[in-house]
Amino acid sequence: MTTPGPRPSVRLPVAVHSEEHGQQGSGVLLTADTVLTCAHVLRTAYTAWVSVPGRAERVLCQVIWSDQRLDAALLHAPEGLVLPPGDPYRARISLLAGDRPLPGCEILGYPRVQRYEQGRKLESDQYRGTLLPLAGLVRRTMVLELDVPPATEPADGSSPLAGLSGGPVVAGDGLLGIVREVPRGRGHRRVECVPLSAVAARADFLLAFTQATGRGVPSITTLTRHSSVDSPYEQEYGEAVGAAYRRTKVFGLDELDRRSSAWDLDTAYLTLEAAAKGPGPAPVPQRVDDLLATRPRVLLRGEAGAGKTTLLWWLAAHAAAGTLGAGLAELNGLVPFVVPLRTLRSHGSAFPTPSELPRVAGLMVDPAPDGWAGRVLAAGRALLLVDGLDEVPQEDREAAHAWLSGLLARYPRTRCVATVRPLAVGPDWLDAEGFEELTLLPMRDRDILEFVAAWHDAARLDGDAAYLTALERDLVAQFRHSPVLADLARTPLLCAVVCALHRLRDGFLPETRWALYDSALRMLLGTRDARRRVDAPDGIRMSVEEHQELLQRLAARLVRAGQTEFTRDQALHQLDRALPGMPRVRDQGTAEEVLTHLLNRSGLLQERTDGVYQFTHRTFQDFLAAKEFVEDDLVAELLRHAHDQQWHDVLLLAAGHCTRRDLPVLVEGLLAAGTDADKPNNRTGLFVLAALCSRHATWLTGSVYGGVEAAIASVVPPVTPVQADHLKRLGDYVLPFLPAPEELPPESVNRVLEVVASIGGPAALPYAESMARAGHARRLVQDWRRYPAEAFARGVLSRVPEAQLTVHDRDQLRHLRHMPHTRFFVIGDHGASELAENLGPCRITELALAGNSLLTDLAVLRGLDTRALGRLGLQSCGNLTDLSALASLPALTHLDLTLMPADRPVLETVARIPGLRELSVEHPRLHDGRLDLTPLHGVPGLRVRVMDVRETVGGAAFGDRLIEDDNVG
């Protein structure tokens, strides 16, 4: 059994031997099992031996492509040449932009001058030089001038660089080309090379490469500048990113050892789903990383604890390491710049310039070389990850917008993901900058169960396995029988809190979100050390109330300052003010010692960077700050900030802390602020906040309740999308306030339908049915999944036989046979037999299948009534490769392929559809990034729409029948 060599790299040259012609040259790894070299090294040979440093034996490789005129050839190895097996490595190809010389380039390979032991053994060598873009312009070659002569010319007049042909020419870790020849008459200092851009432009090369590897050719980046120190620094920077962001602490597991309590991000957060904003039917929920694959710029909205920050960490760590999967492979090797806006706020820093991007995250790495970040951005190799736009004060958000838009305008090829809470910025805030919006969705029931399993797996590493298994079964049972409990656990943070409290309380759980937070804090502050039999850690013993007293003062200070991070000096200042009133704690230690205790033992504080700290989650900061404001009789101060969205969570949490005396003051103050608001959106938001606060009350006067009800009635029905978003927060409380359907003004119909659908379930069904009777049933169809399937089908769907039905689950699917519909959009994993059984009785005119990983072919269509099937859509069906059944559909005129394979064999099958008139191809999965439309040339009158394709081949034949939207490159 052979042992592969080291990890691949363009800086790892290989030796190429053509024994048939007695030639030895060099080569470069494009992937772990493909090698690019010069054609003249191989001549007419069909095979060649390849030697890799660190690997004892040579490997016989097959020549799978060769171009004598270009002087390049591609070899394929029968096995991986390097470690680890199956490595996702692909070379990074670089193209020099502009005509200025590029110094600091290198040539790597195996020249004659490095042979030893009578020429029987080889040693690699490297040469530095300057790339001269204009020197080979006419001959379309790449010319490099070495800094110094390579060696003394041999007596026979040959070049001392013989054997270097095929060796990589690199700038940092970017592959520019391969050495072709050393022309005479220039002292062996001039080297002519084959530019990789010319190789990658050859269609026959791309075909050979993709057939051998199953992957597209590496993406091409452009260089305008380069520094020899960039490559080693990027490696150090990438390692620092991985160390900072690869793992995350999970609530409730902090009592385990460090390794067990910190999860690799792959473990906990890849089940997150998101939906894209857009017109038309409800978007298909997809894995958020799948959605990111086709969107260069994304504004990611999500509630507190939804996993926004963790997703950015995951992207940063894997992009830096080059370990993202096939869908996000284009991000591998990009340089992630994480910009935590909360950190900037805590330091009072301005928004970073390009040169400041490497340091704002506080990574444990040396300062970057001068100009490095600018070179990365200019080359289009940056991944900008902006965390927490909502943590910028309202008055500074336009400045944040100007900074981000200015940075991206200066470096337009930069990929970017920015996070924000749902209502912090308007729906079109970054539209002009090319951002698409995604919203992180609450975890589904199955996601919650997967998270619960992972949490208990980690807990079992250091606990009573049998007891924890029993607890896990009990918690799963509670989730299945209690929708209220499941609704409390729809984010990763709250799901972890529920798991931890369930364990602590032997199966008993709080029933409200406020009680959940309160119990979680008491667990952390009062029982953790006791359960671990740790007495007076750090020489200090404090009660739950004493911990909270100190922490809530610190939290209130952060909220007042609009920050989420603090320095040690800032914390000591707050403790110095509090300790004189707490003699029992003061007598146990200094402010410095008490702070050390809080950092070590509370479980609520963590060090973010050297000397900078934060609460483990902002929700706990807001909860404690709210407690401080209420206990310090500062409800009036809270109300002064009622118009600031950043304070709304604090105001809502304050309601749970209020006494019977304080709560009416808070609610009436919010009503007054809403009455004074100058915009309908703000008025609605404040009235909704008042109503939510009133629901914390055990008792309120009738006049206060009446005031709340009158306020909500005054903003119903909603007119704007923002008003609707506010009212959704009230749940079924808002239903009695909605006007009868026949009384709704036209501009409010869609907004009311949004609100009712967000409530869903049995509570909202009567209103939905009344809307259907009033003639709005068609607009309700897309929300089927939010209601009891059978009742909704009978009360609503039966009234709209011509609408397209969206089917998400088996419960919905099994009701299709009883419905008079003919148009179906079926989402999810449904097997062929299941589809045949439930669609069989239907006469289908339109059908779309999305997100189905079970189907490999479309044979199921042959058993359905498809005589009138005119439109078919296929979306994100990853294993569906056999489309041959389409040729048997006589009425099919429109075919939509979205996020589907669309290489030549697929389009050859499409061309056999007898009546096809329109084809739409969006975000196709292509091996080489090129969509070859040639197989469709024989389809008479065919119109083709293409979206998000790097390059289209054969499109000219369609003339104005080809529409290309938003294509890249």
Side-chain angles (χ1 to χ4, degrees), residues 761-819:
L765 184 60
Y767 194 88
E769 290 175 335
S770 67
M771 291 288 281
R773 290 192 295 270
H776 302 301
R778 185 177 300 277
R779 303 186 190 186
L780 283 158
V781 168
Q782 68 188 44
D783 299 316
W784 185 10
R785 70 184 306 200
R786 300 181 181 273
Y787 299 90
E790 183 175 5
F792 189 82
R794 291 179 176 176
V796 177
L797 299 183
S798 60
R799 298 178 179 274
V800 280
E802 294 305 315
Q804 182 189 70
L805 291 188
T806 300
V807 178
H808 294 86
D809 54 47
R810 289 175 174 81
D811 194 25
Q812 292 177 332
L813 187 62
R814 66 187 181 89
H815 289 293
L816 295 186
R817 67 182 74 187
H818 307 300
M819 303 301 296

Side-chain angles (χ1 to χ4, degrees), residues 30 184 229 284 317 327 367 396 468 522 542 662 809 927 943:
L30 293 186
R184 293 182 179 275
V229 297
V284 180
D396 293 338
L468 286 162
R522 289 185 171 277
M542 287 194 285
D662 294 324
D809 54 47
H927 288 312
R943 292 175 58 85

